[in-house]
């Protein structure tokens, strides 16, 4: 565990330069970072997470200007970056020739996912390292994303070089991913609500269809799964179930937000799922969550967790 002070970040940056794997906090969830130009380091990320190689990674950069040197920029990208960067929005754009980014990062696709995070520790680390950092969420593939350092340690201890301690993540669900290669398309709902993106663009965005060719593979069915089975939109709990509530419901073991606040619910989502997973002997039942704003990202993650396991 590294501290997020000057000496901790210097050590983290040295580890990245040497091809190491370093987990660090972002405003959404903890990421597992490596030098995006180093093939071997990127290969180690896939190994450490047991992640399928066809699932590409997001590259984290310290500014819009840096991002522009890795991808071919568009007017829509400009508008969105001005509105939401730094922050929990990932843009998928055509990768620039000679970008230097490992082909393992893009899984050989012609596009690259770029994101400029807002978390001060992430920003400080990116600036100190001075290069592109490929970083998936710092969990074993198919498990719940980590929103604090102990979550990272419980999944990846002994498989990575260091964790920068940075407390709990404020947003709590992963970034929104928007494809901009063709018409703006929502590939994954996340920390920036669809409504806000549409307002910034001045037009509705297309929604990703499950059968579409390239996708944000976060859509694999067992993604975000706790070990216990999960049931959504529950108003009547069944015997043996424990309830993850939302709003002023009775009988909840944990509540995402008693006040019915979607931001608070997103921040609590993975934390509470981690905890209920250790308590549950039966099914985790979850109260209905309104499907707007951050509620879309929450329902998306719950729906994946509720899918039958392979
Ligand atoms: O908030 C986040 O985005 C966090 C933090 C650490 O930044 N990262 C994260 O990474 O959630 P990961 O790897 O768990 O999810 C990234 C998603 C995957 O579903 C991947 O398939 C998709 O981004 N992705 C990456 N590159 C892509 C591309 N070129 N085209 C389409 N989808 C892409
Ligand atoms: Mg992930």
């Amino acid at each position: 565990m590294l501290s997020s002070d000057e000496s901790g970040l210097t050590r983290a940056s040295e580890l990245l330069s040497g091809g190491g794997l370093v987990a660090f906090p972002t405003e959404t969830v903890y990421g597992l970072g490596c030098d995006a130009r180093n093939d071997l380091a990127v290969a180690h990320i896939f190994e450490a997470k047991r992640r399928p190689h066809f699932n590409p990674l997001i590259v984290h950069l310290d500014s819009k200007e840096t991002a522009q040197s890795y991808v071919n920029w568009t007017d829509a990208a400009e508008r969105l970056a001005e509105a939401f960067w730094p922050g929990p929005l990932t843009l998928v754009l055509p990768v620039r020739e000679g970008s230097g980014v490992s082909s393992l990062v893009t899984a050989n696709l012609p596009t690259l996912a770029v994101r400029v995070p807002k978390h001060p520790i992430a920003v400080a680390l990116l600036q100190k390292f001075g290069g592109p950092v490929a970083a998936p969420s710092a969990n074993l593939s198919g498990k719940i994303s980590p929103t604090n350092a102990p979550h990272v340690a419980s999944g990846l201890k002994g498989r990575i070089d260091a964790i920068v301690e940075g407390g709990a993540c404020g947003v709590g669900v992963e970034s929104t991913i928007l494809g901009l290669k063709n018409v703006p398309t929502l590939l994954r709902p996340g920390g920036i609500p669809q409504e806000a993106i549409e307002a910034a663009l001045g037009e509705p965005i297309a929604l990703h269809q499950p059968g579409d060719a390239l996708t944000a593979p976060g859509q694999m069915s067992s993604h975000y799964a706790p070990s216990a089975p999960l049931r959504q939109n529950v108003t009547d709990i069944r015997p043996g179930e424990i309830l993850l509530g939302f709003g002023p419901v009775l009988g909840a073991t944990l509540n995402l937000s008693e006040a019915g606040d979607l931001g608070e619910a997103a921040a609590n989502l993975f934390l509470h799922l981690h905890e209920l997973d250790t308590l549950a002997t039966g099914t985790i039942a979850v109260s209905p969550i309104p499907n707007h704003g951050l509620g879309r990202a929450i329902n998306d993650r719950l729906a994946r967790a509720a899918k039958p396991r392979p």
Side-chain angles (χ1 to χ4, degrees):
M1 199 76 78
L2 295 173
S3 67
S4 59
D5 61 9
E6 190 65 24
S7 71
L9 291 180
T10 299
R11 181 72 194 124
S13 170
E14 286 168 1
L15 285 167
L16 291 175
S17 298
L21 308 187
V22 178
F24 61 96
T26 80
E27 68 278 18
T28 57
V29 300
Y30 275 69
L32 178 60
C34 77
D35 184 340
R37 301 160 296 194
N38 182 330
D39 289 321
L40 195 60
V42 178
H44 285 153
I45 291 254
F46 284 89
E47 252 168 63
K49 279 182 59 83
R50 301 201 187 102
R51 177 174 174 120
H53 281 84
F54 56 78
N55 195 358
L57 306 179
I58 297 172
V59 169
H60 296 64
L61 303 152
D62 64 2
S63 68
K64 181 182 85 176
E65 290 68 30
T66 314
Q68 285 169 332
S69 62
Y70 289 90
V71 288
N72 292 323
W73 209 239
T74 65
D75 288 347
E78 180 64 23
R79 223 168 296 151
L80 294 166
E82 280 301 312
F84 302 115
W85 277 1
L89 176 68
T90 295
L91 300 177
V92 175
L93 288 155
V95 63
R96 274 203 177 194
E97 215 172 302
S99 73
V101 167
S102 167
S103 59
L104 277 170
V105 168
T106 57
N108 274 320
L109 296 170
T111 52
L112 180 68
V114 289
R115 150 157 149 78
V116 176
K118 191 182 193 144
H119 195 295
I121 297 175
V123 176
L125 179 59
L126 288 168
Q127 284 173 349
K128 204 173 258 297
F129 175 61
V133 171
S137 51
N139 52 290
L140 288 172
S141 189
K143 300 285 187 195
I144 302 166
S145 290
T147 52
N148 60 34
H151 285 172
V152 178
S154 76
L156 294 177
K157 200 160 185 246
R159 308 176 68 81
I160 64 178
D161 296 295
I163 303 172
V164 179
E165 169 64 78
C169 302
V171 176
V173 290
E174 299 87 342
S175 62
T176 301
I177 304 181
L178 198 69
L180 290 179
K181 189 159 177 272
N182 306 116
V183 291
T185 303
L186 185 69
L187 300 178
R188 176 177 75 181
I192 300 285
Q194 180 185 333
E195 295 89 332
I197 292 173
E198 292 178 332
L201 285 176
E203 58 177 345
I205 55 179
L207 301 186
H208 171 265
Q209 302 300 321
D212 289 359
L214 173 63
T215 73
Q219 342 225 325
M220 289 182 302
S221 54
S222 67
H223 228 75
Y224 306 102
S227 309
L230 185 142
R231 198 161 71 86
Q232 278 180 283
N233 297 315
V234 172
T235 46
D236 291 300
I237 59 171
R238 299 173 186 159
E241 289 185 335
I242 53 177
L243 181 64
L244 176 58
F246 177 82
V249 295
L250 293 176
T253 302
L254 289 176
N255 198 310
L256 290 169
S257 168
E258 282 180 27
D261 180 285
L262 290 169
E264 185 185 12
N268 282 329
L269 179 67
F270 293 142
L271 187 70
H272 284 2
L273 284 178
H274 270 279
E275 190 165 338
L276 290 180
D277 208 17
T278 64
L279 301 175
T281 49
T283 295
I284 301 171
V286 188
S287 296
I289 314 285
N291 205 35
H292 57 76
L294 286 175
R296 286 185 211 257
I298 298 172
N299 282 323
D300 170 80
R301 304 310 185 267
L302 289 171
R304 292 175 201 202
K307 279 199 181 147
R309 311 296 148 72

